[in-house]
Amino acid sequence: MMSRPAFAAPLKLLVLGDSLTAGYGLRHEDGFQARLAAALHGRGIEVAIVDGSVSGDTSAGGLARLDWVLADGADAAIVELGANDGLRGLPVQEMAGNLTAILDKLDAKHVKVLLSGMYPPPNYGADYTREFRAVFDRLGRRPGILYDPFFLDGVALEPSLIQPDGLHPNAEGVARIVARLLPLVVRLLGEVRPS
């Protein structure tokens, strides 16, 4: 049986993302951030979520508002960006530069990071897909980064877990994502304040 980490005060967990972590199309309590906070609470870990997720945002948007969302500080961060870069077919090198700058800023502030990657839609061709995924794989190898290759793993291709728009997880899809990511998030928070 896993022991519960005894954290004295809530850790500040920044969620820097897009509609996938903003809870697009869902009731607040069914969104990623609320579900994650509840799951952590169930493990005896209290977090204060810093909501840095904006529906429709690209990696450039995430970078542009990072200083603002970090104004009150953060102990750890989940970075989930890139879906909208891929949907719009934006240049891969621009996304790579934006994500690198985000990770650099978080590192400079000693914020522990879980980077959750994204796959682009297939309509831009095999080369774009390969280069896009390689950005996340490369950044995921940075020292000190916890890496999850695909935020929608196990959900994206399962129609019963996706909203009618064909893009966003429904409440059950979010629950699956949270359950899959929970061990990594617990590990991330443990690196901030060892249990």
Side-chain angles (χ1 to χ4, degrees):
M1 180 128 177
M2 185 175 185
S3 64
R4 292 183 174 213
F7 293 160
L11 293 168
K12 287 185 179 179
L13 175 61
L14 168 64
V15 180
L16 185 69
D18 49 38
S19 56
L20 298 174
T21 47
Y24 177 87
L26 300 171
R27 297 181 305 167
H28 171 76
E29 60 267 29
D30 290 329
F32 175 79
Q33 296 178 44
R35 284 282 182 101
L36 178 62
L40 289 167
H41 175 77
R43 295 280 190 99
I45 305 170
E46 300 303 325
V47 296
I49 300 285
V50 179
D51 183 3
S53 296
V54 175
S55 293
D57 228 353
T58 61
S59 59
L63 175 60
R65 71 178 185 292
L66 183 57
D67 289 336
W68 178 75
V69 297
L70 281 176
D72 291 328
D75 299 298
I78 297 171
V79 176
E80 175 278 311
L81 288 163
N84 291 301
D85 297 71
L87 284 172
R88 299 176 194 181
L90 298 178
V92 170
Q93 288 312 310
E94 286 183 15
M95 182 182 75
N98 293 330
L99 291 172
T100 297
I102 287 169
L103 296 181
D104 287 347
K105 282 178 176 277
L106 291 170
D107 183 55
K109 292 184 178 290
H110 309 289
V111 177
K112 300 290 185 180
V113 175
L114 167 58
L115 174 66
S116 191
M118 186 51 54
Y119 295 171
N123 48 304
Y124 294 108
D127 287 346
Y128 186 85
T129 296
R130 183 176 60 254
E131 292 169 12
F132 189 100
R133 290 173 63 171
V135 168
F136 290 98
D137 290 341
R138 183 173 66 253
L139 293 175
R141 290 193 294 270
R142 282 176 56 136
I145 297 288
L146 290 181
Y147 178 48
D148 166 56
F150 185 36
F151 184 78
L152 295 172
D153 189 25
V155 171
L157 299 179
E158 182 51 63
S160 66
L161 301 177
I162 298 292
Q163 295 182 43
D165 64 8
L167 296 172
H168 297 92
N170 59 24
E172 178 58 29
V174 170
R176 297 274 187 99
I177 293 167
V178 168
R180 185 181 66 77
L181 287 178
L182 187 60
L184 269 178
V185 177
V186 170
R187 181 177 162 194
L188 175 73
L189 297 174
E191 289 184 359
V192 175
R193 191 177 296 165
S195 58

